[in-house]
Amino acid sequence: MNSPRLRNACRTARAFTFLELVIAMSMAAMLALTLYVSMNVAFRARNTVENQTQAPRQAAIALDLISSDLQASLRPSSRMATPFVGESGMGAGNTLTFTTTAKSGLSRLVRIGTSAQPGSGATPGTTSLVRAEEGGALSSVLTPSNNEAVLVRGVRNLTFRYYDGVSWVDTWDSTAYEDKLPPAVEITIELDLPDPGDATHGYRMSRVVALPHSSLVPEAAADEEAGAAE
């Protein structure tokens, strides 16, 4: 037989009511929604930071690669080198063509410039910084079969400037400078990202690279440029 105490305990024990279950489920749903919103904000912030830093990081890597090419450039007067030509192009930037030395010791004809990359579907095309190369320097023209690689996408402008020993010039043709390289080259990449300091311009990265086998321009050429400036 059940004792009176056990019967009283059974009467007082009861299950959760429907209202209590609804309240508990509502609280759990609100907690889950709060966690979802917090995680969504965190993931969106992470994606924003990655998108803002990915292009500058790629631009920095591209500047490192171009600097390595320039520092290994061959003097145009050598037998296996083509003229060092920097042209002021139309559109998104300039073009630089020169001969460099690969790690294997072989010469490579390299062209640095910009190229309009076609978009797909609703995505518009973007301008990219590209590097094209071809083995050997027997010709100053790159064939369509050259190895072209996209270094950075979303480039607004690419600028090269060349130091002639007196001032910075926008173009360079080694044939007009006694087959000499410029002592230094300034590279500026402007990306399609707002500059924190100036919203009217894109994010800019610049670097000055000193070239080997370089020398100052002849004094006569420097005097002519100074006279033309006056």
Side-chain angles (χ1 to χ4, degrees), residues 177-217:
Y177 290 93
E178 299 182 354
D179 289 332
K180 295 180 180 179
L181 297 173
V185 177
E186 181 190 60
I187 314 164
T188 301
I189 302 176
E190 184 177 354
L191 305 175
D192 282 330
L193 293 175
D195 191 334
D198 187 358
T200 61
H201 294 91
Y203 185 85
R204 294 180 179 176
M205 300 185 69
S206 297
R207 183 174 299 181
V208 176
V209 183
L211 271 63
H213 313 296
S214 60
S215 61
L216 302 181
V217 297

Side-chain angles (χ1 to χ4, degrees), residues 159-177:
T159 304
F160 291 102
R161 293 202 307 164
Y162 312 92
Y163 186 64
D164 63 2
V166 178
S167 60
W168 291 93
V169 295
D170 295 332
T171 60
W172 188 276
D173 189 345
S174 59
T175 59
Y177 290 93

